[in-house]
Amino acid sequence: QVQLVESGGGLVQAGGSLRLSCAASGLTFDNYAMGWFRQAPGKEREFVAAISGRGADKYYADSVKGRLTISRDNAKKMVYLQLNSLKPEDTAVYYCAAGTRPSILGRYEYDYWYDYWGQGTQVSVSS
């Protein structure tokens, strides 16, 4: 069965950095686009970043452009999210997701097109 396991969250001061990791198993990894989404308390889940199966294409939400970087290592079946210049409003549970439809459809920001989800990792940014 497919498993996605996030790690790397934590508590950090504003302006700090974190690197989130997502380990995938049970799927042909490079066939899947990988996305990161986040959900803050009382808010809907929102798109953060995504990367195509071979890593050639990357997409970011406007709110995080220039501060976050998504990458993947297909040999290790890992996807990463580097978070820099963190702000209190970045506080949320961050989820990684895998799907084949985002690449086919050319749209990566819709969570309902992803097939598999991890359990999430908490990122808390203090002011």
Side-chain angles (χ1 to χ4, degrees):
Q1 60 275 32
V2 176
Q3 279 195 314
L4 301 177
V5 180
E6 302 95 334
S7 61
L11 174 63
V12 63
Q13 289 188 331
S17 298
L18 284 173
R19 188 194 195 205
L20 307 184
S21 299
C22 174
S25 60
L27 73 171
T28 305
F29 189 63
D30 56 1
N31 285 353
Y32 286 79
M34 298 299 295
W36 284 96
F37 292 77
R38 67 186 181 186
Q39 188 167 22
K43 295 188 176 181
E44 292 188 354
R45 185 165 58 191
E46 64 173 355
F47 170 75
V48 175
I51 187 168
S52 59
R54 300 198 175 186
D57 300 309
K58 301 177 183 181
Y59 304 87
Y60 297 95
D62 288 341
S63 60
V64 303
K65 276 182 182 175
R67 298 190 298 118
L68 274 60
T69 303
I70 189 170
S71 61
R72 65 190 294 161
D73 184 333
N74 284 356
K76 296 181 179 179
K77 295 188 175 182
M78 296 288 295
V79 62
Y80 306 100
L81 187 67
Q82 178 69 40
L83 299 87
N84 297 327
S85 303
L86 282 162
K87 304 175 182 180
E89 51 264 42
D90 294 317
T91 295
V93 177
Y94 283 70
Y95 299 92
C96 74
T100 56
R101 285 172 289 178
S103 295
I104 294 170
L105 297 168
R107 299 297 298 265
Y108 291 77
E109 70 270 36
Y110 299 119
D111 58 0
Y112 48 81
W113 282 345
Y114 290 82
D115 303 305
Y116 304 105
W117 292 83
Q119 292 299 306
T121 186
Q122 176 71 47
V123 172
S124 299
V125 184
S126 63
S127 57

